[in-house]
Amino acid sequence: MPPSSEAAARFRDLHRQGLLRLANAWDAGTARLIEQRGAAAVATTSAGLAWAQGYADGDRLDPDVLPQAVSRIARVIRVPLTVDVEGGYSDEPDSVAALVLRVVHAGAAGINLEDGAGAPDLLAAKIRAIREACVAQGADVFINARTDVYLRGLAAEERQLDETLARAALYRQAGADGLFVPGLVDVDAIRAVADACGLPLNVMLRPALQDLAALQALGVRRVSTGSALAESMYGRLSAQVDEFLHADTTSLPDPQAMGYGALNALFG
């Protein structure tokens, strides 16, 4: 079995073992730290990874940069890695499939692939192209199909549940392994999607979704932090830099810092 197939199988199995908690990393250092703290798998945040590489989020990352970043992350972790590839950085399904294969060969066991404002049929075509390309190369990848119906308000509020389920059926038939619905926070809607979508449901952490045990009871199988950890880190860093540059005194070195020795030991 190719390494990518073994990792994808391990990653699929994690979706059958209760609630998979995915803390989203943005580079090799944060990925290794997340693994060291006990994560069963590591996910990337497209926003955090783009920022770390000097790009804005929103399909603006140079796609050639992505496999390089994935390779650096995969080198330092042993748990399965799933990578947010946004919309695949192309409207051409074959081009998206080619990029995903590069990401898989770089070490990814899974991907997130989103519909965004695009047509659902386009995402389905991309999923099919990825499946065909993987079969042709004896590779495998867990495809988490992300729909932005709730996040972007792509349907009237009273139609969002039905639209999400219709897209879920389309993506499942195309070969998706999971369904990611960021912006979904209503308890009844979460339960309805989990019960009817036919795929492991992934939601994104929001203030209304901080009770993880309740999410598992609703049928959610995966919860992601999205860009929250990266935003938290940048916010804390910004405050410390402001204090150092502009205040008369400074609280640095930070007493809450992890410490040079502990950080360096992560990569020993």
Side-chain angles (χ1 to χ4, degrees), residues 68-195:
Q68 300 169 23
V70 172
S71 179
R72 287 191 288 270
I73 293 171
R75 185 183 68 82
V76 300
I77 65 172
R78 295 295 175 267
V79 297
L81 170 66
T82 183
V83 176
D84 191 336
V85 300
E86 303 192 63
Y89 309 100
S90 174
D91 287 337
E92 297 294 330
D94 288 344
S95 295
V96 174
L99 175 63
V100 170
L101 277 177
R102 292 175 64 193
V103 168
V104 169
H105 289 312
I111 60 162
N112 277 348
L113 186 67
E114 66 193 48
D115 52 21
D121 286 343
L122 177 58
L123 181 57
K126 292 177 182 180
I127 293 170
R128 284 193 294 271
I130 292 166
R131 282 281 169 242
E132 292 169 2
C134 284
V135 168
Q137 293 204 14
D140 191 16
V141 66
F142 184 105
I143 302 175
N144 204 36
R146 167 177 151 172
T147 180
D148 284 352
V149 171
Y150 282 89
L151 188 66
R152 297 193 181 202
L154 299 179
E157 187 173 345
E158 66 274 11
R159 292 189 56 252
Q160 287 178 344
L161 176 58
D162 288 343
E163 179 65 22
T164 296
L165 291 176
R167 294 187 184 210
L170 182 65
Y171 303 154
R172 184 179 67 248
Q173 292 164 7
D177 296 285
L179 180 70
F180 184 22
V181 191
L184 180 64
V185 296
D186 178 78
V187 169
D188 291 334
I190 291 173
R191 183 184 293 110
V193 174
D195 287 345

Side-chain angles (χ1 to χ4, degrees), residues 24-25 44-51 57-58 84-86 89 114 146:
N24 293 78
T44 67
T45 158
S46 66
L49 190 147
W51 298 333
D57 189 29
D84 191 336
V85 300
E86 303 192 63
Y89 309 100
E114 66 193 48
R146 167 177 151 172

